[in-house]
Amino acid sequence: MPNERKKNEDKDRQVVVSVRFPSQLLDRIQAVAAIEAATANAIIREGMDSYIREHVASPEFQRARKEYIARAEAQVATALQDHAVDQTQLRA
């Protein structure tokens, strides 16, 4: 099943990114990694996953998310309204 394998590969695909850490934080990450016999990458990924799960669940994030969606909807409505006005002017 080549298509199934392709789906799994895409799902598990990792992307390399460049991130800057203060040297003391990187030292702490590497110390945790050494103690846990893990890589610094694994510690960073696990930490970011945990942070995002907790952060997204926070009331502050949920409020900000709703405000962001409301702003985006307003921008789309304005853009479509402007387009509707332009179309009306073209027909006149």
Side-chain angles (χ1 to χ4, degrees), residues 2 4 7 9 16-17 30-31 41 43 50 52 57 64-65 69-70 74 77 82 84 88:
E4 180 116 2
K7 287 180 188 177
E9 287 173 5
V16 175
V17 297
Q30 291 171 334
N41 286 338
I43 300 301
S50 178
I52 290 171
R65 179 186 61 84
I69 290 170
D82 291 347
T88 304

Side-chain angles (χ1 to χ4, degrees), residues 34-79:
I35 290 166
E36 295 189 0
T39 64
N41 286 338
I43 300 301
I44 293 166
R45 281 192 303 268
E46 184 178 320
M48 288 309 306
D49 186 58
S50 178
Y51 171 82
I52 290 171
R53 273 190 271 108
E54 290 175 18
H55 189 70
V56 167
S58 75
E60 297 84 9
F61 183 87
Q62 291 302 316
R63 183 178 61 254
R65 179 186 61 84
K66 288 175 184 175
E67 291 170 359
Y68 176 84
I69 290 170
R71 284 192 310 272
E73 287 175 341
Q75 289 174 340
V76 169
T78 299

